[in-house]
Structure formats: structure tokens, C-alpha cells
Amino acid sequence: MPERRTVALVTLGCARNEVDSEELAGRLEADGWQLVEDAADADVAVVNTCGFVDAAKKDSVDALLEANDLKDHGRTQAVVAVGCMAERYGKELAEALPEADGVLGFDDYTNISDRLQTILNGGIHASHTPRDRRKLLPISPVERQSASDVALPGHGAPTDLPEGVAPQSGPRAPLRRRLDGSPVASVKLASGCDRRCSFCAIPSFRGSFISRRPSDVLNETRWLAEQGVKEIMLVSENNTSYGKDLGDIRLLESLLPELAEVDGIERVRVSYLQPAEMRPGLIDVLTSTPKVAPYFDLSFQHSAPDVLRAMRRFGDTDRFLELLDTIRSKAPQAGVRSNFIVGFPGESEADLAELERFLNGARLDAIGVFGYSDEDGTEAATYENKLDADVVAERLARVSRLAEELVSQRAEERVGETVQVLVESVDEEEGAYGRAAHQAPETDGQVLFTGREGLVVGRMVEAKVIGTEGVDLVAEPLAGSLGRPEEAGR
């Protein structure tokens, strides 16, 4: 019997890319490929790249070069780039990086097995010429659901899979294969974005906004629960727009309670919310539905009105603070995080001071700060009133220092709170840790337990916060909250 072809997926970037990688893994396994964790053990290393900002692009190139080095002293025979950077630059990336044996765009995902086999056999698959993917879908959102010929990574509906790919779900399951044993998994709610922020290139290569149908989201969540997942995180470029192309802009409000009722799911988290699109009904559902985390990942970006208008965004410091007051009046322990850009073209010292005023009043649990840089094809790249690089760097350092101080203060405010913590790791050397409702994976800090006894990965534990380590909380499990070890993972 011939040895099975092996493939490793290396994923960079955001949670949306992680979902896409698991869809690719499902397609490849269904077609007979053996998935391995280490690229050095694979015939083909597939690098799912990020094309968001310069630092992410550099990380993607470094990962491709590192995988290419394996061809000299390992099993690896080919290195293939997929993902946002591959989609965004296509032929240009292939020419600039000959170390990559293939550069595949989103349109290649449905035929990923054939593409990799061609490359593995020494053939060449021509890289695509990048195009504005917003033009592939109808302008009217309600007409987009009928555009079945447009590739939408991560939108795989239930399909007939070979026996063994999703054994507990039967033959019809999501075209997805989990790449780790984490009790947390992301579920794609939608793709693309209809907003036209002047600094952002994502809509040009991810396309216009299109929702997944609620039944597909529910079926995938049920399947993930069968795989042992306890928390799902709904991801897209803009979750607050969910349902507008399905004829119901309030569809998320009705979907969340249904997801929370899926057997085995302990927590549902929503990410990527637009402040200008927050609705009273959505705030109510996020703050009052059992098992739905009162968690608000709000994309503020700045708070000075002039900067926000130049960004093609809405709001100001006082309106944003009013929104946070509304949320906390309904759920005092609600978690809030956001990202901000400093050094945007035309940003004055007064604008920066206004942003600092907002940060000081917002009591955010996690803050990401980025210095502005031009992105190819964006409106902001054409602006004339750019700030010098050293000014941007100084402002980045200044606001980053403030952010670090503020999130540490916010963590200290939580001392004495009782939190529900999903246990994610129990290790003899590193101890045990997990995340509370106000902490999303990778970005928002974690909860460090005072001991390991009785803790099992995948269990939801009630704990009291007794201290902090920067943004992280130190907590002690409450008596009676640990249950029996055999209950974990059910």
C-alpha cells in the first residue's frame, strides 16, 4: 500500500484564518491526505498567510522562508502560500518570493488537494492576478446569497464526508477538521466587509459582506461540541452586520440564544463589533443571555472626531463613553477591548490628547495600539498630511505605555470578583490557567490559578480573583465548583 501524502498547515494571523485552515484540513483529509503537526514531517507545508499590516506580512514571509529551509534537510518537498497575503498579492508575491512553490488564492480552496498534488509532482499552478473581490458580489446585500460561484473560505456548509472524518456527526458534517484539542474554537459568522474605512485594505481582498445561514452556524457549533469544544467564538470582519443580507439585521439577537442552548457548549463569545452599529437589542442579548459572554470587542480605532472622519468612521469620545456606560449599567462585569491607531495622517496633539481622555475614562480590559502605516490601495495612503515616522513611533510608545498602565489598573479593579473560568491548560511546571468571560483567546490576558488540584482542561470553574499580574488575574477556585474529573469534556 503506498504511503499517504502528508501535509502540514501553518497558520498566521487572526481567528478567521484559523477557521480557514481547518476547512482546508477537512478538504485535504477527505481526499486522503494525512495531516501532521510539524512542517518538517510533511511532504507539503501550507502556510496560511496574513496580509493585514506590514508586521503581519513580514511574519508570513518569514514563515514561508523557514518552511523552505526544511526542503534542504527534511521530508518537505514543497512550500505553498495560501491566505490573505497570497490572495492580496498573487503573482506579485510569487515573483518576489520564488522560495514558495505555489501561491494559491481563495478560488483555489475548493480544489486544494489537486493544486497541492500538481505542485508536489513538480508541476506549476499559475498564481492569480489580484482583483477587488468586492466586485464579485452584487451591490445589493440581499442579492448576495445567490452568488454560489464566489469562493468564501470558512463558509463550508454540511457535506457528505468519508466515514471517519467526522464520525460522531454521521456523514453530514462541516467540511472542517480540528487542528488542535483546545476546548475553544472559532466559528465564522460571515465574511467580508461593506465599510470603507480609509486605512483598511481587507474588503478589497476579502470581498463584500456576506452572512452564513443560521442553520450552518448551528450545525457547525453542534459538530464542534461533539469534538469536545466548550466555548465558541463567532468571528467575521463585522459581526454587527450579520443578517443584513438575509433580510434581518437583528438575526444575531435570535441566533445567540440558540447557540447557547447547544448541548455541551458552555460559553458563546462574539468578536469584532462596530460601535456605530451597536443596537439596544444586541446589547441586551449580550448582557443577559445565559452562557453568552458579556464581552464587547468594539472597534473604536480612535476617539477624536476629526481623525475618525478622516478614517471614514463615526463617533467621538463622549458617545463612546455613553455606549460603555450603557453596557456596564446592564452588566457591570462586562469585558471590553479595542484597538487604536495613532499617528494617522493629520492627527494633531489635541487629537492625541482626546484619545488619551477616552482611554482614561473607558476602563478597557485590553487595548491594542498600532502606529499608522500606509496600506496599498487604501484611501489614507493618498493623504498628504502624513506624520514623520519618528513622530508616529513616539506617539505609539506614549499611548502603549498608557494602555499598559490602564489595563493593569482595570485588572486590579476585578480583585474580589467571582468569575467563571474555562480551564485551558494544566501543567506540572507552568501551573494551570484559563480565561474568564471578559478574556478572549490570544488577545486579552488570562486567569492563573493558585493551584492545579481538581482542575481539568475543558471544565468551567467558578473562582475568586485574589490578585493580578499585569493584565492577568490570579484566582482561587471556589469550593464545590470543581465537580468530578470524569465530568470534564462531556
Side-chain angles (χ1 to χ4, degrees), residues 231-372:
E231 175 182 326
I232 62 163
M233 184 167 73
L234 300 178
V235 299
S236 75
E237 279 72 24
N238 178 10
N239 282 329
T240 34
S241 283
Y242 180 69
K244 73 175 187 179
D245 52 324
L246 295 171
D248 184 0
I249 191 60
R250 295 176 177 80
L251 194 55
L252 184 56
E253 286 94 305
S254 59
L255 177 60
L256 284 171
E258 292 186 72
L259 293 170
E261 291 175 359
V262 171
D263 188 31
I265 295 299
E266 296 292 334
R267 180 184 288 156
V268 178
R269 184 183 304 277
V270 184
S271 61
Y272 307 116
L273 301 169
Q274 288 291 339
E277 297 180 29
M278 290 301 296
R279 307 174 290 276
L282 180 56
I283 294 174
D284 287 342
V285 170
L286 287 169
T287 55
S288 66
T289 307
K291 295 188 177 182
V292 173
Y295 175 80
F296 294 81
D297 177 7
L298 293 162
S299 178
F300 289 121
Q301 302 298 344
H302 212 283
S303 72
D306 288 346
V307 176
L308 286 168
R309 301 308 172 267
M311 289 179 168
R312 304 292 183 195
R313 297 179 66 84
F314 307 94
D316 56 48
T317 296
D318 293 332
R319 274 191 277 183
F320 290 164
L321 291 176
E322 287 174 7
L323 172 61
L324 296 180
D325 286 344
T326 298
I327 290 169
R328 289 176 175 136
S329 70
K330 298 174 181 295
Q333 289 183 272
V336 186
R337 81 165 325 274
S338 192
N339 293 325
F340 300 89
I341 298 173
V342 297
F344 194 79
E347 181 190 63
S348 66
E349 277 290 342
D351 293 329
L352 193 66
E354 184 69 0
L355 173 58
E356 291 172 326
R357 180 171 82 88
F358 171 70
L359 292 174
N360 277 295
R363 297 171 56 231
L364 302 178
D365 292 279
I367 300 171
V369 187
F370 300 88
Y372 173 81

